[in-house]
Amino acid sequence: MHTLVIILFSLSILFFLISLFQPDRTKALEKELEQLSMKLLQENYLLKKRVKVLEEELLTPDFQESFSMKEPSNKPNEILKNQVIALYHQGLNLGQISKQSSLPINKVQQIISTYESSLGGDQRG
C-alpha cells in the first residue's frame, strides 16, 4: 500500500513538472486575438479616413455646381400638371393641392395661372 502511495505521489510530481514546461495555449491565443484586434482597428481607421476624403470631395463647391447643372430645371411633368389642374377643378385650395401633388404653392399657382391664361380666365368647374 505504501508503495502504491509513493508511486502515485511520484507520478503526480512528474506530471506537475511536465506541466510547467508545456507551452501556455492561452497566451498564444491572447497574442493572436490582440493582433487580430489591432488589424481590425487599423482597417477601420483606414476606411474612416477614405470615407472622410470622399465626403470632402463630394462637398466641394465645384462638384455641387456640376451636380446642380445636371438636375432637371424643376419643371413639373405633364402628369403633375394634370393632377394639379384636376384638383383645381375639384375645388381644392392651393394648400391642399400643394400637399397632394408634393409641389410648392408657388409652382401650383404658376401651373394654374398658365392653365387659366391658356383658356382665357377662371375655368373652375
Side-chain angles (χ1 to χ4, degrees), residues 29 54 69 96 113:
L29 283 175
L54 286 174
M69 290 179 171
Q96 292 170 330
S113 65

Side-chain angles (χ1 to χ4, degrees), residues 2-13:
H2 289 295
T3 57
L4 183 63
V5 171
I6 293 173
I7 292 173
L8 288 175
F9 184 70
S10 51
L11 277 176
S12 67
I13 291 174

Side-chain angles (χ1 to χ4, degrees), residues 59-125:
L59 295 177
T60 59
D62 295 335
F63 181 77
Q64 288 177 347
E65 289 173 6
S66 66
F67 183 70
S68 64
M69 290 179 171
K70 293 179 183 178
E71 288 182 6
S73 61
N74 277 345
K75 281 189 163 182
N77 60 23
E78 289 299 317
I79 296 172
L80 275 176
K81 288 179 184 179
N82 291 336
Q83 180 186 12
V84 168
I85 293 168
L87 293 171
Y88 177 69
H89 281 293
Q90 291 175 8
L92 297 176
N93 64 27
L94 294 178
Q96 292 170 330
I97 294 173
S98 173
K99 284 181 185 176
Q100 288 189 13
S101 63
S102 300
L103 290 172
I105 291 179
N106 61 351
K107 291 289 182 185
V108 171
Q109 288 174 334
Q110 183 182 10
I111 292 170
I112 291 173
S113 65
T114 305
Y115 172 71
E116 287 178 347
S117 67
S118 69
L119 294 178
D122 187 5
Q123 300 292 323
R124 193 180 275 207

Side-chain angles (χ1 to χ4, degrees), residues 27-44:
K27 288 196 184 232
L29 283 175
E30 285 177 1
K31 194 171 192 176
E32 187 177 334
L33 183 64
E34 185 178 332
Q35 288 175 351
L36 181 63
S37 153
M38 290 300 292
K39 184 177 177 182
L40 286 174
L41 285 174
Q42 287 174 346
E43 288 178 5
N44 191 16

Side-chain angles (χ1 to χ4, degrees), residues 14-33:
L14 179 67
F15 286 138
F16 179 73
L17 291 174
I18 290 174
S19 72
L20 291 177
F21 295 110
Q22 290 290 329
D24 193 8
R25 293 182 186 160
T26 57
K27 288 196 184 232
L29 283 175
E30 285 177 1
K31 194 171 192 176
E32 187 177 334
L33 183 64

